[in-house]
């Protein structure tokens, strides 16, 4: 199992969090997603390494941006 963290910019409410969680959880291999609205921290658990570009693409699909990418 592996865990990766990302910082998401632009989230302002619970709906934002739900949108990000929904999109990221659909990425192949992802087993768990936690999003902290206050810090913008996205934690992704997976069976093995997941391509960061796929996570970034999922966040962008939800309408937000990953910092430092």
């Amino acid at each position: 199992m592996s865990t990766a963290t990302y910082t998401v910019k632009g989230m302002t409410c619970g709906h934002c969090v739900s949108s990000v969680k929904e999109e990221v959880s659909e990425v192949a291999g992802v087993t768990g997603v936690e999003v902290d609205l206050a810090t913008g921290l996205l934690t992704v658990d997976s069976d093995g390494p997941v391509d960061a570009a796929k996570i970034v693409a999922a966040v962008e699909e939800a309408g937000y941006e990953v910092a430092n990418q």
Side-chain angles (χ1 to χ4, degrees), residues 1-2 4 21 24-25 29-34 42-47:
M1 182 168 219
S2 76
K21 283 179 94 167
V24 173
S25 67
V30 171
T31 57
V33 180
E34 291 299 321
L42 165 64
T43 304
V44 180
D45 294 323
S46 56
D47 291 330

Side-chain angles (χ1 to χ4, degrees), residues 18-31:
S18 297
S19 296
V20 170
K21 283 179 94 167
E22 183 178 334
E23 290 295 335
V24 173
S25 67
E26 292 177 5
V27 174
V30 171
T31 57

Side-chain angles (χ1 to χ4, degrees), residues 1-68:
M1 182 168 219
S2 76
T3 301
T5 56
Y6 305 85
T7 301
V8 179
K9 297 193 298 187
M11 296 186 301
T12 57
C13 65
H15 182 263
C16 301
V17 169
S18 297
S19 296
V20 170
K21 283 179 94 167
E22 183 178 334
E23 290 295 335
V24 173
S25 67
E26 292 177 5
V27 174
V30 171
T31 57
V33 180
E34 291 299 321
V35 181
D36 186 316
L37 178 61
T39 62
L41 200 63
L42 165 64
T43 304
V44 180
D45 294 323
S46 56
D47 291 330
V50 173
D51 185 358
K54 291 181 180 178
I55 302 299
V56 171
V59 170
E60 289 173 352
E61 182 68 28
Y64 306 96
E65 182 182 350
V66 174
N68 304 323

